[in-house]
Amino acid sequence: MNLAVGFFDGVHLGHRRILSRADAALTFRNHPATIYAPSRAPSLLMTSETRLAAIGSALAARAGERVGESVRALNFTAELAAQPPEVFADWLRTSYPGLEVLFCGANWTFGAGGRGDAEFLRARGFRVEVVPFAEYAGAPVSSTRVRAAVAAGNLASASAMLGCHWRLEGELASGKGVGRGLGYPTLNVHPAAGLVLPPCGVYAVETALGAGVANLGFAPTMGEQAWKRPILEVHLFAETVDFPASGSFLVGMKRFLRPERTFASLADLRAQIARDVIAARS
């Protein structure tokens, strides 16, 4: 059995290189920084559930069968962070008795103080292969770079490093009914806590229900009825879509169209949405 190890936030091109060599993966449910440096813990590209599903999907196919169910996610705790690397090595040997090769990235470390690495395991009889970084624009692809690209609204770079459009995830909730009244009904997605967000504004988007245009922000034209935190209001182009009432929803963020702004009237807002739809369709 071949094992891939890492956190794999975003499951970007570099992560896929690692996962494509394995038939099982070991990861954490929470980012380690939430324990050893909470003030520096990053906003993430995916919720834990979506990341685990993506890791499973990216695992290599062997003998013509998908093996994406072989994902083990540990809770990263203070006790785990304090463990010497020798303890983790012993745990690996016990937990994966059939382990043949362990695949990791060049910056992977483990154990207290990050003292464990590929060489540490090799010295204890493990076969470890360090998978080289994927590169984009002359630099290694990393979750940190993808997060920075998303936060800056540079979705083209984020998509290039991910190998797909970055998807914003959140829970569907009832809206104010204003969009429907304007002739542009929307799905209202409340972004999941802890995720990185792009700048407020209007985006061309793609969903499981089809393409559309979306505004991420506070809907300031609504005055006292404006949102208190950023909400993604998604208008789908298809006219016969049955909108789900609740549940988790993923929105592929394809392209930034314009910043969010306040309009003098709902008529002005309606006219701008019509222009946004044309821009998103193009």
Side-chain angles (χ1 to χ4, degrees):
M1 186 267 290
N2 296 333
L3 180 69
V5 292
F7 189 70
F8 304 119
D9 184 32
V11 192
H12 58 58
L13 295 180
H15 295 149
R16 294 187 198 185
R17 281 188 176 185
I18 299 170
L19 292 163
S20 69
R21 307 285 298 278
D23 45 32
L26 175 64
T27 188
F28 296 112
R29 290 194 175 276
N30 54 314
H31 195 283
T34 60
I35 299 300
Y36 66 75
S39 64
R40 293 189 284 112
S43 297
L44 301 178
L45 296 162
M46 294 172 155
T47 63
S48 178
E49 292 74 14
T50 297
R51 178 172 52 86
L52 297 181
I55 292 171
S57 296
L59 285 172
R62 296 187 179 278
E65 297 182 1
R66 294 304 303 177
V67 291
E69 298 79 17
S70 302
V71 181
R72 177 182 286 185
L74 306 177
N75 293 318
F76 195 86
T77 63
E79 292 73 21
L80 191 60
Q83 281 186 352
E86 292 84 357
V87 173
F88 179 74
D90 292 341
W91 180 88
L92 268 181
R93 203 180 302 278
T94 301
S95 300
Y96 296 94
L99 179 60
E100 297 178 14
V101 186
L102 185 146
F103 293 96
C104 64
N107 59 351
W108 179 66
T109 61
F110 61 91
R115 292 190 293 110
D117 58 11
E119 286 302 322
F120 182 93
L121 290 177
R122 287 171 182 151
R124 284 155 179 77
F126 290 87
R127 181 182 170 191
V128 183
E129 291 193 22
V130 177
V131 180
F133 288 109
E135 290 196 357
Y136 170 72
V141 172
S142 68
S143 298
T144 300
R145 283 190 72 195
V146 179
R147 292 178 198 126
V150 170
N154 188 352
L155 297 180
S157 292
S159 297
M161 290 186 280
L162 290 170
C164 60
H165 295 303
W166 174 69
R167 297 188 298 172
L168 178 59
E169 181 177 358
E171 289 292 319
L172 293 173
S174 299
K176 303 176 177 66
V178 175
R180 187 172 298 277
L182 294 174
Y184 298 97
T186 61
L187 286 166
N188 300 290
V189 183
H190 292 230
L195 295 185
V196 62
L197 292 179
C200 289
V202 177
Y203 293 83
V205 300
E206 184 70 44
T207 76
L209 300 177
V213 64
N215 183 81
L216 175 66
F218 300 88
T221 303
M222 298 301 102
E224 292 184 357
Q225 288 186 297
W227 301 112
K228 303 304 181 185
R229 63 186 182 94
I231 303 298
L232 188 67
E233 297 174 288
V234 184
H235 170 68
L236 300 174
F237 299 146
E239 297 180 358
T240 58
V241 174
D242 291 328
F243 282 13
S246 61
S248 182
F249 198 70
L250 290 163
V251 182
M253 308 292 283
K254 297 173 65 176
R255 184 164 59 93
F256 178 79
L257 298 178
R258 65 170 178 85
E260 184 178 45
R261 51 177 287 211
T262 304
F263 293 91
S265 67
L266 291 181
D268 289 345
L269 174 58
R270 181 190 297 112
Q272 181 60 56
I273 295 174
R275 293 190 289 270
D276 294 336
V277 167
I278 293 172
R281 284 183 180 277
S282 70

